[in-house]
């Protein structure tokens, strides 16, 4: 496995891939590891966020049968996956994502497992921002 990749990584389909990369850099302090353009779009990019990696590409609806995905924009903004981002300060990450243009899905609140909030990025993907608390002693 390459040093730029983790063992499993979500692969996001987006519209406006260049804008998505710029958003993730601001909202989640993403580091762009690689970018390949294809037909004047992002054909593939890898980003590192908080130690993990995500991949993304612009959607190519004409190739949905071969690719298997389209962006949330193509299905009225719906998605079936939440990307969980485990961070040192859920409130700070949440606030930074909102300032960068994300929408509040659920404000940060105390939960039995720690602090948790959810945002929807401008490309339709939902992110859970979580700071876990120490588990109770056995």
């Amino acid at each position: 496995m390459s040093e730029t990749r983790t063992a499993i990584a979500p692969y996001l389909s987006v519209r406006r891939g260049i804008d998505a990369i710029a958003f993730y850099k601001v909202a989640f302090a993403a580091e762009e590891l690689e970018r390949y353009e294809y037909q004047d779009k992002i054909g593939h990019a890898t980003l590192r966020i908080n130690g993990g990696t995500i991949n993304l590409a612009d959607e190519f609806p004409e190739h949905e049968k071969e690719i298997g995905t389209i962006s949330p924009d193509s299905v009225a903004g719906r998605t079936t996956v939440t990307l969980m981002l485990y961070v040192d300060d859920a409130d700070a990450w949440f606030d930074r994502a909102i300032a960068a243009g994300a929408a509040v899905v659920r404000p940060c609140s105390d939960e039995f497992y720690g602090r948790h909030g959810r945002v929807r990025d401008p490309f339709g993907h939902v992110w859970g921002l979580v700071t876990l608390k120490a588990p109770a002693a056995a």
Side-chain angles (χ1 to χ4, degrees), residues 65-90:
K65 284 189 175 224
E66 296 87 22
I67 297 171
T69 61
I70 53 177
S71 78
D73 287 334
S74 289
V75 287
R78 297 186 327 263
T79 185
T80 62
V81 174
T82 298
L83 300 145
M84 300 303 285
L85 187 53
Y86 296 96
V87 298
D88 59 347
D89 184 342

Side-chain angles (χ1 to χ4, degrees), residues 51-116:
T53 56
I54 66 165
N55 300 301
L56 69 87
D58 272 295
E59 72 172 348
F60 291 86
E62 66 276 19
H63 299 296
E64 181 184 355
K65 284 189 175 224
E66 296 87 22
I67 297 171
T69 61
I70 53 177
S71 78
D73 287 334
S74 289
V75 287
R78 297 186 327 263
T79 185
T80 62
V81 174
T82 298
L83 300 145
M84 300 303 285
L85 187 53
Y86 296 96
V87 298
D88 59 347
D89 184 342
D91 291 281
W93 283 71
F94 183 92
D95 291 344
R96 185 173 63 198
I98 296 302
V104 175
V105 172
R106 187 175 97 191
C108 279
S109 61
D110 290 323
E111 303 293 339
F112 64 92
Y113 50 84
R115 192 94 174 130
H116 181 195

